[in-house]
Amino acid sequence: MQIRRMLVLAGLVTTVVLGSGRIASAQGVRLPAAERRLKALPFPKDLKWLNTDKKLDLAGNLKGHVVILDFWTYCCINCIHILPDLHYIEKKYAGKPVVVIGVHAAKFKTEDDPKNISQAIQRYRIEHPVLHDKGGLYWRSWAVQRGLQQAWPSFAFIDSAGRFVGYATSEGQRGLMDAVVKQLLEEGKKEGTLAKKAITLKPTLLKSRKGQLAFPGKIASDAKTKRLFIADSNNDRILVTDTKGKVLHVIGSGKAGFKDGDFKTAEFLSPQGMVIDGDVIYLADTDNHALRKIDLKAGKVTTLAGTGKRAYDRIGGEEIGMKQGLASPWALEKKGDLIYIANAGTHQLWVHDLKTGKSKRFTGSGREHITDGGPSFSALAQPSGLVILDGQLYFADSEGSAIRRAALKDGRVETLVGAEGERGALFDFGYRDGKFEESKFQHALGVAVLDGNIVVADTYNNRIRLMDLKAKTTSTLYGNKGELDEPAGLTVLDGIIYIADTNNHRIMKFDPKTKKGEEFKVLLPKPTPKDEEKDKPKGK
């Protein structure tokens, strides 16, 4: 969440990265002398451990281990971005006394529920143990007693003698983490404090859902052909069905990766938003940081933009096609030859020109906030849903729990619901219907058009809401009886709302006229023996 990233060791900034936000060099990191290090704060005994077969204790079964504490919250795009880096550290030092531990300190109310954290661990395919820091008290203790800066994500480094070495904040820290871990291992071996045998930990929450939907993220539709398009996100594939649930196309091998090709060999990584143009699907391949094109007639998948790695560029327009990087594209819309992209990772809306092959900023300064204005002044907060209506690009700005719109003619941003301009805008959330100025959402991820109004997937409130644009009021359509669990996407086809009921691994459909909801059963093909293989964890 910060442009300037640093490693702080005993209160001293010893390594600073370039203004681009990427690590310039991890060389020259000097660890503070042992006598200057304070004891690491022990894990509170009353907190719940997730994704591990044993409770952990710094002075007990972790004695002699180098430990990285990752303070995170599962809504945060920056926290998602560092997972491949943590996975890299875990794999590089596998078999050595190095342990990564996630300390989940929630931002949103719904994120403080261990059931929801467990779902997020599965969705992000996290392999390391996670401590549920209920209420964030342990995190605050680190801030008060050890000076840890509170930002998502933050990392505390603990040496093999159980002492706090220093901390880092924000993403882009792979090289720095690697350098610190390497030095701590060498130091521990020299001082004789390093454990001779690494602790064995087994993740308990990773489960394969081959042959079933797995955390479907987004859903799209085509009114002309009456087809539905489902981003079966954790199966890393796209499904095309008719309105009876018959699967017409399975796009992608189901293996997590980044590969163009035919439908059986192409690979995606946690794909999300789609926009349909006849027999062409444009896809936000989120964790590949790429814009993909799926040609249903040719049976081919190609990449239009994105390098496969998270980009820090906030302007764009200089490179063509795959040379131009993106950052966690989450949703798409199309107008003529322009594809609009919710570039969640840089807190902006981008646009890709199909004629020129160039992608660039459409609006948003890149600063994470809820601020209205023109393209270079406005501030967005993790935009995650898009829809076009009457010359306006409506979007769900999830980290600000806001629903906003940008004029297609000039990119000027206006907030309809949300605490625009307020200092605490990113923490203004809740559940309230009524006038726009009184309404509240909680980390909404999806928007669609219903009868000239905006329907919203109010994700963390587990509800589908309606925004009446003329009356300027919000109301709840569906979800009051607990039918949904973090719905992330929705589409409207022939007056019926189809919903990606993400944590329930299913698609629901709701009729606004009869006010009845039911499961839309997708008639999935039977898995082959190869499909039964365990899902690959994220990481590159």
Side-chain angles (χ1 to χ4, degrees), residues 181-250:
V181 169
K182 182 180 179 181
Q183 289 193 44
L184 289 177
L185 285 174
E186 293 172 350
E187 176 190 89
K189 184 177 181 180
K190 183 178 180 180
E191 295 182 354
T193 57
L194 200 65
K196 294 182 179 179
K197 185 178 180 181
I199 188 173
T200 301
L201 297 172
K202 180 182 178 181
T204 58
L205 291 175
L206 296 184
K207 300 176 182 178
S208 174
R209 288 190 58 84
K210 292 297 183 183
Q212 308 170 74
L213 292 179
F215 296 102
K218 296 290 186 181
I219 185 168
S221 59
D222 180 26
K224 292 182 179 179
T225 60
K226 310 300 181 186
R227 292 179 296 186
L228 293 165
F229 305 80
I230 301 166
D232 191 9
S233 301
N234 270 52
N235 280 324
D236 303 297
R237 65 183 181 180
I238 304 301
L239 303 174
V240 183
T241 79
D242 62 18
T243 54
K244 294 183 179 180
K246 181 182 177 181
V247 176
L248 307 174
H249 299 282
V250 177

Side-chain angles (χ1 to χ4, degrees), residues 16 36 83 136 264 305 354 415 428 443 494:
V16 182
R36 294 178 60 191
L83 292 176
K264 290 184 178 181
L354 293 171
T415 300
D428 187 74
H443 198 75
D494 294 336

Side-chain angles (χ1 to χ4, degrees), residues 230-289:
I230 301 166
D232 191 9
S233 301
N234 270 52
N235 280 324
D236 303 297
R237 65 183 181 180
I238 304 301
L239 303 174
V240 183
T241 79
D242 62 18
T243 54
K244 294 183 179 180
K246 181 182 177 181
V247 176
L248 307 174
H249 299 282
V250 177
I251 306 166
S253 67
K255 178 183 178 182
F258 186 33
K259 182 189 294 185
D260 288 340
D262 60 35
F263 289 177
K264 290 184 178 181
T265 60
E267 295 174 358
F268 308 104
L269 188 56
S270 299
Q272 291 288 339
M274 299 160 287
V275 64
I276 315 303
D277 184 12
D279 284 316
V280 173
I281 306 169
Y282 296 99
L283 171 69
D285 193 3
T286 303
D287 283 358
N288 276 324
H289 310 287

Side-chain angles (χ1 to χ4, degrees), residues 386-495:
L386 295 177
V387 71
I388 290 175
L389 176 64
D390 296 334
Q392 297 279 347
L393 184 61
Y394 289 80
F395 61 99
D397 222 9
S398 61
E399 276 299 286
S401 298
I403 305 300
R404 312 173 73 187
R405 63 187 180 189
L408 292 179
K409 63 179 180 180
D410 59 10
R412 188 168 187 82
V413 175
E414 176 188 8
T415 300
L416 302 181
V417 175
E420 191 276 326
E422 294 184 16
R423 185 175 182 180
L426 299 182
F427 293 85
D428 187 74
F429 59 86
Y431 170 59
R432 185 189 299 161
D433 285 332
K435 296 180 181 179
F436 281 178
E437 59 267 28
E438 300 170 348
S439 298
K440 290 186 182 296
F441 293 91
Q442 187 180 184
H443 198 75
L445 288 174
V447 287
V449 174
L450 175 66
D451 298 329
N453 294 307
I454 301 299
V455 61
V456 180
D458 190 5
T459 307
Y460 284 4
N461 281 324
N462 302 318
R463 290 174 170 89
I464 304 302
R465 314 270 295 278
L466 180 70
M467 297 179 63
D468 187 315
L469 298 179
K470 290 184 179 180
K472 296 184 178 181
T473 59
T474 64
S475 59
T476 298
L477 293 177
Y478 183 52
N480 276 329
K481 296 181 180 180
E483 298 95 337
L484 304 172
D485 191 350
E486 295 195 13
L490 72 175
T491 189
V492 177
L493 180 61
D494 294 336

